[in-house]
DNA sequence: GTCTATAACTAGATAGAC
DNA sequence: GTCTATCTAGTTATAGAC
């Protein structure tokens, strides 16, 4: 930590670009965000993105990787801890380990920003092919570990059924977070009191886990 | 049906543009699709979109409106029929009325294309603001009617809880359909047999209803 | 109603001065 | 490492011939 100027660990411009891009991607998506928008928001010059990341596509990958990797590490750490203290953790505890890091940074104890949550939700929806491939890779370990834990926690649930239920679960989570984080700007059905309708984030997680756990435990139809 | 050429009801070029745009939007989204892509796919000239729809934005609205309006009409018709024959339809029947039109055109009895289903899923994810506003408007009646029916079918469920569960439900449905329609091109977790993993569309609906109905019936946490 | 040419603008990427 | 000027190619939209 001595060298204060020369070759400082990752230039501040680089970080500024990532931050600006992240914010814009979360709000409008990667397609609707131009390199010009990013450099302007970061207070950098137009050439900066290509200098630091070689192309817009590589910047996109880096923006998502920077957030998704630690997030998934925290998910796995949470499951490790759970399995270290209990033989068979409950389904609700497992789901909480999966979801909580989306909402709170467990290394710092700090609440995630709405922007962060929107970025994560969006990472599932972006049509960028390279991004999808990267995401799937990052997700493999998560799915493997959590699937195994859930199968132990829910007797009678079979792998094929779980595959589709996990798909439903992530769709529900990300659409729910999208709605929760944008609550103010979205219309709500008539007859509901807006002030009373939106729980705090803990309430949201609780509601989600209740819904998802019940879905996971449902008796298979056929 | 006599006039065969002059001023025939909605020119074929117009329809060709809508069809081409729909197909491209379903595959890559509206942002990644240019007017050039659309006119080329439709076998029309570059000016055609602006002549028939005034702008790309209005074409986008028309593409989604053309499919969403009849879809929602079929949903309401299905619920009408259900409520005409039973005092309190079961939750599963209500959910089926909500979901089936996404998958089968009940006026013709024909299976929807994967493309159609992808377009519907995408309509929830597109960041286009005008499109979102239009969608919310189209959805109001659906939500009002189906919420009321579900509240009757699930004793003890309160409106605020239902609001979030409906959000989860649509997220799960659209993400599930996205995955189901793109099954071949997406990676699956190791240890699963691809051939055995993907149900036919009836199996998919059944799985979805099982999951969603259990979530709807879950006892509220607080 | 169809088509082409083109206007007016924006995109990502790069070369080269500092 | 930063900045600007510029290139090439793409974008939507429109004017006017047919």
């Amino acid at each position: 930590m001595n060298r204060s100027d020369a070759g400082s660990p990752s230039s501040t411009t680089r970080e500024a670009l990532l931050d600006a891009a992240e914010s814009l991607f979360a709000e409008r998506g990667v397609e609707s965000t131009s390199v010009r928008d990013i450099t302007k928001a970061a207070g950098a010059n137009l050439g900066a993105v290509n200098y630091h990341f070689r192309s817009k596509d590589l910047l996109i990958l880096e923006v998502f990787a920077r957030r998704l990797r630690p997030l998934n590490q925290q998910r796995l750490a949470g499951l490790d801890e759970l399995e270290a203290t209990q033989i068979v953790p409950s389904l609700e505890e497992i789901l909480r380990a999966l979801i909580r890091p989306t909402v709170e940074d467990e290394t710092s104890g700090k609440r995630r920003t709405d922007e962060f949550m929107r970025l994560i939700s969006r990472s599932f929806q972006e049509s960028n092919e390279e991004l999808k491939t990267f995401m799937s890779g990052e997700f493999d370990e998560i799915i493997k570990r959590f699937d195994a834990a859930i199968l132990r926690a829910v007797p009678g649930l079979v792998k094929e059924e779980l595959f589709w239920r996990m798909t439903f679960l992530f769709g529900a989570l990300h659409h729910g977070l999208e709605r929760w984080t944008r609550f103010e700007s979205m219309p709500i059905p008539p007859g509901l009191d807006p002030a009373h309708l939106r729980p705090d984030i803990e309430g949201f997680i609780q509601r989600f886990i209740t819904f998802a756990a019940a879905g996971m435990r449902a008796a298979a139809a056929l």
Side-chain angles (χ1 to χ4, degrees), chain A:
Chain A
M1 312 289 191
N2 263 350
R3 296 168 295 142
S4 52
D5 53 345
S8 73
S10 61
S11 81
T12 69
T13 304
R14 194 188 139 92
E15 292 301 314
L17 288 170
L18 286 169
D19 291 342
E22 172 174 309
S23 176
L24 291 165
F25 290 170
E27 289 318 305
R28 339 179 195 148
V30 303
E31 297 287 349
S32 311
T33 304
S34 69
V35 173
R36 283 177 159 79
D37 294 333
I38 296 165
T39 50
K40 192 179 168 192
N45 64 82
L46 181 55
V49 161
N50 286 280
Y51 176 80
H52 286 283
F53 303 96
R54 299 225 348 257
S55 71
K56 181 189 174 183
D57 278 347
L58 289 174
L59 167 68
I60 293 169
L61 240 44
E62 189 56 33
V63 165
F64 284 92
R66 184 175 68 143
R67 298 300 185 200
L68 277 170
R69 277 202 271 253
L71 176 71
N72 283 339
Q73 282 315 110
Q74 287 184 30
R75 285 171 162 163
L76 291 173
L79 185 58
D80 284 342
E81 199 186 317
L82 216 51
E83 292 181 330
T85 55
Q86 304 176 240
I87 327 261
V88 180
S90 76
L91 175 60
E92 278 79 2
E93 288 172 309
I94 296 165
L95 293 181
R96 188 168 287 271
L98 181 63
I99 293 150
R100 251 207 96 81
T102 317
V103 152
E104 183 173 325
D105 182 340
E106 276 149 354
T107 61
S108 74
K110 280 209 299 214
R111 245 271 265 141
R112 307 279 198 192
T113 60
D114 286 10
E115 197 176 85
F116 178 91
M117 290 185 257
R118 257 174 249 155
L119 185 79
I120 301 302
S121 297
R122 225 178 239 286
S123 69
F124 269 66
Q125 300 166 354
E126 292 289 349
S127 50
N128 185 311
E129 281 305 317
E130 289 155 318
L131 184 55
K132 276 188 181 159
T133 306
F134 164 78
M135 293 269 310
S136 298
E138 288 294 307
F139 230 67
D140 271 357
E141 177 87 358
I142 298 290
I143 290 294
K144 209 180 69 182
R145 290 283 315 278
F146 279 88
D147 272 15
I150 292 173
L151 285 173
R152 279 191 291 272
V154 184
L157 184 57
V158 298
K159 280 191 294 184
E160 288 74 17
E161 188 77 34
L162 178 58
F163 170 83
W164 289 102
R165 292 186 182 184
M166 283 297 261
T167 305
F168 297 148
L169 183 146
F170 279 104
L173 176 62
H174 293 134
H175 191 235
L177 278 176
E178 167 86 8
R179 177 116 211 189
W180 190 85
T181 59
R182 290 190 199 275
F183 190 79
E184 304 304 334
S185 67
M186 291 179 71
I188 60 163
L192 285 173
D193 176 16
H196 185 227
L197 188 56
R198 189 198 196 213
D200 64 14
I201 191 65
E202 276 306 322
F204 175 87
I205 296 185
Q206 190 52 58
R207 278 182 159 86
F208 179 79
I209 290 178
T210 300
F211 181 87
M216 283 290 169
R217 286 207 183 90
L222 302 195

